[in-house]
CSV table of all heavy atoms in Angstrom, one decimal:
chain,number,residue,atom,x,y,z
A,296,GLY,N,-15.8,11.8,22.6
A,296,GLY,CA,-16.0,11.6,21.1
A,296,GLY,C,-17.5,11.3,20.8
A,296,GLY,O,-18.1,11.8,19.9
A,297,ALA,N,-18.1,10.4,21.6
A,297,ALA,CA,-19.5,10.0,21.4
A,297,ALA,C,-20.4,11.3,21.6
A,297,ALA,O,-21.3,11.5,20.8
A,297,ALA,CB,-19.9,8.9,22.4
A,298,GLU,N,-20.1,12.1,22.6
A,298,GLU,CA,-20.9,13.3,22.9
A,298,GLU,C,-20.8,14.3,21.7
A,298,GLU,O,-21.8,14.8,21.2
A,298,GLU,CB,-20.5,14.0,24.1
A,298,GLU,CG,-20.9,13.3,25.4
A,298,GLU,CD,-20.4,14.0,26.6
A,298,GLU,OE1,-20.1,15.2,26.5
A,298,GLU,OE2,-20.3,13.4,27.7
A,299,PHE,N,-19.6,14.5,21.2
A,299,PHE,CA,-19.4,15.4,20.2
A,299,PHE,C,-20.1,15.0,18.9
A,299,PHE,O,-20.7,15.7,18.1
A,299,PHE,CB,-17.9,15.7,19.9
A,299,PHE,CG,-17.7,16.5,18.7
A,299,PHE,CD1,-18.0,17.9,18.6
A,299,PHE,CD2,-17.2,15.9,17.5
A,299,PHE,CE1,-17.9,18.6,17.5
A,299,PHE,CE2,-17.0,16.7,16.4
A,299,PHE,CZ,-17.4,18.0,16.3
A,300,LEU,N,-19.9,13.7,18.5
A,300,LEU,CA,-20.5,13.2,17.3
A,300,LEU,C,-22.0,13.2,17.3
A,300,LEU,O,-22.7,13.4,16.3
A,300,LEU,CB,-19.9,11.8,17.0
A,300,LEU,CG,-18.4,11.8,16.6
A,300,LEU,CD1,-17.9,10.3,16.5
A,300,LEU,CD2,-18.2,12.5,15.3
A,301,ALA,N,-22.6,13.0,18.5
A,301,ALA,CA,-24.0,13.2,18.7
A,301,ALA,C,-24.5,14.6,18.4
A,301,ALA,O,-25.5,14.8,17.8
A,301,ALA,CB,-24.5,12.7,20.1
A,302,ILE,N,-23.7,15.6,18.9
A,302,ILE,CA,-24.0,17.0,18.6
A,302,ILE,C,-23.8,17.2,17.1
A,302,ILE,O,-24.7,17.9,16.5
A,302,ILE,CB,-23.0,17.9,19.4
A,302,ILE,CG1,-23.3,17.8,20.9
A,302,ILE,CG2,-23.1,19.3,18.9
A,302,ILE,CD1,-22.3,18.5,21.7
A,303,ALA,N,-22.8,16.7,16.4
A,303,ALA,CA,-22.7,16.8,15.0
A,303,ALA,C,-23.8,16.2,14.2
A,303,ALA,O,-24.2,16.7,13.1
A,303,ALA,CB,-21.3,16.2,14.6
A,304,ALA,N,-24.4,15.2,14.8
A,304,ALA,CA,-25.6,14.5,14.1
A,304,ALA,C,-26.8,15.4,14.3
A,304,ALA,O,-27.6,15.5,13.4
A,304,ALA,CB,-25.8,13.2,14.7
A,305,GLU,N,-26.9,16.1,15.4
A,305,GLU,CA,-28.1,16.9,15.7
A,305,GLU,C,-28.0,18.3,15.0
A,305,GLU,O,-29.0,18.8,14.5
A,305,GLU,CB,-28.2,17.1,17.2
A,305,GLU,CG,-29.5,17.9,17.6
A,305,GLU,CD,-29.6,18.1,19.1
A,305,GLU,OE1,-28.7,17.5,19.9
A,305,GLU,OE2,-30.5,18.8,19.6
A,306,HIS,N,-26.8,18.9,15.0
A,306,HIS,CA,-26.6,20.2,14.4
A,306,HIS,C,-25.7,20.0,13.3
A,306,HIS,O,-24.5,19.7,13.5
A,306,HIS,CB,-26.0,21.2,15.4
A,306,HIS,CG,-26.8,21.4,16.7
A,306,HIS,ND1,-27.9,22.2,16.7
A,306,HIS,CD2,-26.7,20.8,17.9
A,306,HIS,CE1,-28.4,22.2,18.0
A,306,HIS,NE2,-27.7,21.3,18.7
A,307,ARG,N,-26.2,20.2,12.1
A,307,ARG,CA,-25.3,20.0,10.9
A,307,ARG,C,-24.2,21.1,10.9
A,307,ARG,O,-24.5,22.3,10.7
A,307,ARG,CB,-26.2,20.1,9.6
A,307,ARG,CG,-25.4,19.9,8.3
A,307,ARG,CD,-24.7,18.6,8.3
A,307,ARG,NE,-24.2,18.2,7.0
A,307,ARG,CZ,-23.0,18.6,6.4
A,307,ARG,NH1,-22.2,19.4,7.1
A,307,ARG,NH2,-22.7,18.2,5.2
A,308,LEU,N,-23.0,20.6,11.2
A,308,LEU,CA,-21.9,21.6,11.2
A,308,LEU,C,-21.3,21.9,9.8
A,308,LEU,O,-21.3,21.0,9.0
A,308,LEU,CB,-20.7,21.0,12.1
A,308,LEU,CG,-21.1,20.6,13.5
A,308,LEU,CD1,-19.9,20.0,14.2
A,308,LEU,CD2,-21.6,21.9,14.3
A,309,ALA,N,-21.0,23.1,9.6
A,309,ALA,CA,-20.3,23.4,8.3
A,309,ALA,C,-18.8,23.1,8.5
A,309,ALA,O,-18.1,23.8,9.2
A,309,ALA,CB,-20.5,24.9,8.0
A,310,VAL,N,-18.4,22.1,7.8
A,310,VAL,CA,-17.0,21.7,7.8
A,310,VAL,C,-16.2,22.2,6.6
A,310,VAL,O,-16.5,21.8,5.5
A,310,VAL,CB,-16.9,20.2,7.9
A,310,VAL,CG1,-15.4,19.8,8.2
A,310,VAL,CG2,-17.8,19.6,9.0
A,311,THR,N,-15.3,23.2,6.8
A,311,THR,CA,-14.6,23.7,5.7
A,311,THR,C,-13.4,22.9,5.4
A,311,THR,O,-12.5,22.7,6.3
A,311,THR,CB,-14.1,25.2,6.1
A,311,THR,OG1,-15.3,25.9,6.4
A,311,THR,CG2,-13.4,25.8,4.9
A,312,VAL,N,-13.3,22.3,4.2
A,312,VAL,CA,-12.3,21.3,3.9
A,312,VAL,C,-11.4,21.8,2.7
A,312,VAL,O,-12.0,22.3,1.7
A,312,VAL,CB,-13.0,20.0,3.5
A,312,VAL,CG1,-12.0,19.0,3.0
A,312,VAL,CG2,-13.6,19.4,4.8
A,313,SER,N,-10.1,21.6,2.8
A,313,SER,CA,-9.2,21.7,1.7
A,313,SER,C,-8.7,20.4,1.3
A,313,SER,O,-7.9,19.8,2.1
A,313,SER,CB,-8.0,22.7,2.1
A,313,SER,OG,-8.5,24.0,2.4
A,314,PRO,N,-9.2,19.8,0.2
A,314,PRO,CA,-8.8,18.4,-0.1
A,314,PRO,C,-7.4,18.3,-0.8
A,314,PRO,O,-7.0,19.2,-1.5
A,314,PRO,CB,-9.9,17.9,-1.1
A,314,PRO,CG,-10.3,19.2,-1.7
A,314,PRO,CD,-10.2,20.3,-0.7
A,315,TYR,N,-6.7,17.2,-0.5
A,315,TYR,CA,-5.4,16.9,-1.1
A,315,TYR,C,-5.4,15.4,-1.5
A,315,TYR,O,-5.9,14.6,-0.7
A,315,TYR,CB,-4.2,17.2,-0.2
A,315,TYR,CG,-3.9,18.6,0.2
A,315,TYR,CD1,-4.7,19.3,1.2
A,315,TYR,CD2,-2.9,19.3,-0.4
A,315,TYR,CE1,-4.5,20.6,1.5
A,315,TYR,CE2,-2.6,20.6,0.0
A,315,TYR,CZ,-3.4,21.3,0.9
A,315,TYR,OH,-3.2,22.6,1.2
A,316,PRO,N,-4.8,15.0,-2.6
A,316,PRO,CA,-4.6,13.6,-2.8
A,316,PRO,C,-3.5,13.0,-1.8
A,316,PRO,O,-2.7,13.8,-1.3
A,316,PRO,CB,-4.0,13.6,-4.2
A,316,PRO,CG,-3.4,14.9,-4.4
A,316,PRO,CD,-4.2,15.9,-3.6
A,317,LEU,N,-3.6,11.8,-1.5
A,317,LEU,CA,-2.7,11.1,-0.6
A,317,LEU,C,-1.2,11.4,-1.0
A,317,LEU,O,-0.4,11.6,-0.2
A,317,LEU,CB,-3.0,9.6,-0.5
A,317,LEU,CG,-2.0,8.8,0.4
A,317,LEU,CD1,-2.1,9.3,1.8
A,317,LEU,CD2,-2.3,7.3,0.3
A,318,ASP,N,-1.0,11.4,-2.3
A,318,ASP,CA,0.4,11.6,-2.8
A,318,ASP,C,0.9,13.0,-2.4
A,318,ASP,O,2.1,13.2,-2.6
A,318,ASP,CB,0.5,11.4,-4.3
A,318,ASP,CG,0.2,9.9,-4.7
A,318,ASP,OD1,0.4,9.1,-3.8
A,318,ASP,OD2,-0.1,9.7,-5.8
A,319,ALA,N,0.1,13.9,-2.0
A,319,ALA,CA,0.5,15.3,-1.7
A,319,ALA,C,0.5,15.5,-0.2
A,319,ALA,O,0.3,16.7,0.3
A,319,ALA,CB,-0.4,16.3,-2.4
A,320,ALA,N,0.6,14.5,0.6
A,320,ALA,CA,0.6,14.7,2.1
A,320,ALA,C,1.6,15.6,2.6
A,320,ALA,O,1.4,16.4,3.5
A,320,ALA,CB,0.7,13.3,2.8
A,321,ASP,N,2.8,15.6,2.0
A,321,ASP,CA,3.9,16.5,2.5
A,321,ASP,C,3.5,17.9,2.1
A,321,ASP,O,3.8,18.8,2.9
A,321,ASP,CB,5.2,16.1,1.9
A,321,ASP,CG,5.2,15.9,0.3
A,321,ASP,OD1,4.1,15.9,-0.3
A,321,ASP,OD2,6.3,15.9,-0.3
A,322,GLN,N,2.9,18.1,1.0
A,322,GLN,CA,2.5,19.5,0.6
A,322,GLN,C,1.4,20.0,1.6
A,322,GLN,O,1.4,21.2,2.0
A,322,GLN,CB,2.0,19.5,-0.8
A,322,GLN,CG,1.6,20.9,-1.3
A,322,GLN,CD,2.7,21.9,-1.3
A,322,GLN,OE1,3.8,21.6,-1.9
A,322,GLN,NE2,2.6,23.0,-0.6
A,323,ALA,N,0.5,19.1,2.0
A,323,ALA,CA,-0.6,19.5,2.9
A,323,ALA,C,0.0,19.9,4.2
A,323,ALA,O,-0.4,21.0,4.8
A,323,ALA,CB,-1.6,18.3,3.1
A,324,LEU,N,1.0,19.2,4.7
A,324,LEU,CA,1.6,19.6,6.0
A,324,LEU,C,2.4,20.9,5.9
A,324,LEU,O,2.4,21.7,6.8
A,324,LEU,CB,2.5,18.5,6.5
A,324,LEU,CG,1.9,17.4,7.4
A,324,LEU,CD1,3.0,16.5,8.0
A,324,LEU,CD2,1.1,18.0,8.6
A,325,ASP,N,3.1,21.0,4.7
A,325,ASP,CA,3.8,22.3,4.5
A,325,ASP,C,2.8,23.5,4.4
A,325,ASP,O,3.1,24.5,5.0
A,325,ASP,CB,4.6,22.1,3.2
A,325,ASP,CG,5.6,23.3,3.0
A,325,ASP,OD1,6.5,23.4,3.9
A,325,ASP,OD2,5.5,24.0,2.0
A,326,ASP,N,1.7,23.3,3.8
A,326,ASP,CA,0.7,24.4,3.7
A,326,ASP,C,0.2,24.7,5.1
A,326,ASP,O,-0.1,25.9,5.5
A,326,ASP,CB,-0.4,24.0,2.8
A,326,ASP,CG,0.0,24.0,1.3
A,326,ASP,OD1,1.1,24.6,1.0
A,326,ASP,OD2,-0.8,23.5,0.5
A,327,LEU,N,0.0,23.6,5.9
A,327,LEU,CA,-0.5,23.9,7.3
A,327,LEU,C,0.5,24.7,8.1
A,327,LEU,O,0.2,25.6,8.8
A,327,LEU,CB,-0.8,22.5,8.0
A,327,LEU,CG,-1.4,22.6,9.4
A,327,LEU,CD1,-2.7,23.2,9.4
A,327,LEU,CD2,-1.5,21.1,10.0
A,328,ALA,N,1.8,24.3,7.9
A,328,ALA,CA,2.9,25.0,8.7
A,328,ALA,C,2.9,26.5,8.3
A,328,ALA,O,3.2,27.3,9.1
A,328,ALA,CB,4.2,24.3,8.4
A,329,ALA,N,2.6,26.8,7.0
A,329,ALA,CA,2.7,28.1,6.5
A,329,ALA,C,1.3,28.9,6.6
A,329,ALA,O,1.2,30.0,6.1
A,329,ALA,CB,3.2,28.1,5.1
A,330,ASP,N,0.4,28.3,7.3
A,330,ASP,CA,-1.0,28.9,7.4
A,330,ASP,C,-1.6,29.2,6.1
A,330,ASP,O,-2.3,30.2,5.9
A,330,ASP,CB,-0.9,30.2,8.3
A,330,ASP,CG,-0.7,30.0,9.7
A,330,ASP,OD1,-1.1,28.9,10.2
A,330,ASP,OD2,-0.1,30.8,10.4
A,331,ARG,N,-1.4,28.3,5.2
A,331,ARG,CA,-2.1,28.4,3.8
A,331,ARG,C,-3.4,27.6,3.7
A,331,ARG,O,-4.0,27.6,2.7
A,331,ARG,CB,-1.1,28.0,2.7
A,331,ARG,CG,0.1,28.9,2.5
A,331,ARG,CD,0.9,28.6,1.3
A,331,ARG,NE,1.5,27.3,1.4
A,331,ARG,CZ,2.8,27.2,1.7
A,331,ARG,NH1,3.6,28.2,2.0
A,331,ARG,NH2,3.3,26.0,1.8
A,332,VAL,N,-3.8,27.0,4.8
A,332,VAL,CA,-5.0,26.1,4.8
A,332,VAL,C,-6.1,26.8,5.5
A,332,VAL,O,-5.9,27.3,6.7
A,332,VAL,CB,-4.7,24.8,5.5
A,332,VAL,CG1,-6.0,23.9,5.6
A,332,VAL,CG2,-3.6,24.0,4.8
A,333,THR,N,-7.2,26.9,4.9
A,333,THR,CA,-8.4,27.5,5.5
A,333,THR,C,-9.3,26.3,5.9
A,333,THR,O,-9.6,25.4,5.1
A,333,THR,CB,-9.2,28.4,4.5
A,333,THR,OG1,-8.4,29.5,4.1
A,333,THR,CG2,-10.5,28.9,5.2
A,334,GLY,N,-9.7,26.3,7.2
A,334,GLY,CA,-10.5,25.1,7.7
A,334,GLY,C,-9.5,23.9,7.9
A,334,GLY,O,-8.5,24.1,8.6
A,335,ALA,N,-9.9,22.8,7.3
A,335,ALA,CA,-9.1,21.5,7.6
A,335,ALA,C,-8.6,21.0,6.3
A,335,ALA,O,-9.4,20.8,5.3
A,335,ALA,CB,-10.0,20.5,8.3
A,336,ALA,N,-7.3,20.6,6.3
A,336,ALA,CA,-6.8,19.9,5.1
A,336,ALA,C,-7.1,18.4,5.3
A,336,ALA,O,-7.1,17.9,6.4
A,336,ALA,CB,-5.3,20.0,5.1
Side-chain angles (χ1 to χ4, degrees):
E298 287 178 20
F299 171 72
L300 292 172
I302 291 171
E305 181 181 357
H306 302 280
R307 180 58 168 85
L308 302 178
V310 187
T311 302
V312 170
S313 297
Y315 292 78
L317 177 61
D318 291 341
D321 55 347
Q322 182 62 55
L324 271 188
D325 192 59
D326 287 347
L327 183 63
D330 285 334
R331 291 190 293 262
V332 176
T333 299

